[in-house]
Amino acid sequence: MNTTTETHTIDATGKRLGRVASEVAHLLMGKHRTDVTRNVAAPVSVTIEHASKLLIDEKKQVQKEYDRYTGYPGGRRVLSLQKLADKKGYREILRKAIYGMLPSNKLRAVRMKNLTISE
């Protein structure tokens, strides 16, 4: 396997959230390479620019919810996409979308480290 790191830059201006996230997940998994191996993280780094200029419908901003559980009874916490964007920024929304599109195995954290998002 080639050890030199490929760098990809994606401009998110005017693009849909899911389209950008699936493109980045595809690159992070190394599916575009001929020497892809399932048990090794591809030497690819992806940079996303202008995350705050993503095209997100107003309906999705209100209806899309992110759940988390504190571990205590009645500890379910729900944030809408708009509240998460206000609290943590569009970087977090994009990061969560990409995280969900990667396979849930030991390489997920390694692949996520190769991702840089700028607002």
Side-chain angles (χ1 to χ4, degrees):
M1 182 180 261
N2 193 358
T3 57
T4 58
T5 304
E6 285 181 36
T7 337
H8 297 275
T9 306
I10 296 173
D11 185 15
T13 306
K15 293 183 181 175
R16 296 284 183 178
L17 173 64
R19 300 283 181 157
V20 173
S22 63
E23 181 183 354
V24 172
H26 189 267
L27 290 171
L28 287 175
M29 286 188 282
K31 296 272 188 158
H32 65 289
R33 298 172 57 95
T34 56
D35 60 348
V36 62
T37 338
R38 294 179 64 168
N39 63 337
V40 177
V44 176
S45 67
V46 180
T47 305
I48 302 172
E49 297 174 342
H50 309 293
S52 59
K53 297 179 182 175
L54 277 169
L55 189 61
I56 302 174
D57 292 336
E58 289 185 29
K59 182 178 178 182
K60 178 169 277 197
Q61 290 182 3
V62 175
Q63 289 185 349
K64 173 72 178 158
E65 293 180 338
Y66 295 97
D67 283 348
R68 66 186 184 89
Y69 181 62
T70 64
Y72 290 95
R76 181 172 172 248
R77 303 287 185 253
V78 180
L79 278 177
S80 69
L81 190 143
Q82 186 60 49
K83 286 184 182 177
L84 184 66
D86 293 342
K87 190 173 182 180
K88 295 193 174 185
Y90 284 92
R91 295 173 61 194
E92 184 68 14
I93 292 168
L94 199 51
R95 192 192 66 77
K96 282 181 175 282
I98 295 165
Y99 186 84
M101 290 186 183
L102 291 174
S104 55
N105 56 24
K106 292 179 181 181
L107 292 178
R108 184 192 260 180
V110 177
R111 289 174 174 145
M112 287 300 289
K113 285 181 184 175
N114 295 333
L115 175 65
T116 309
I117 305 171
S118 67
E119 299 232 8

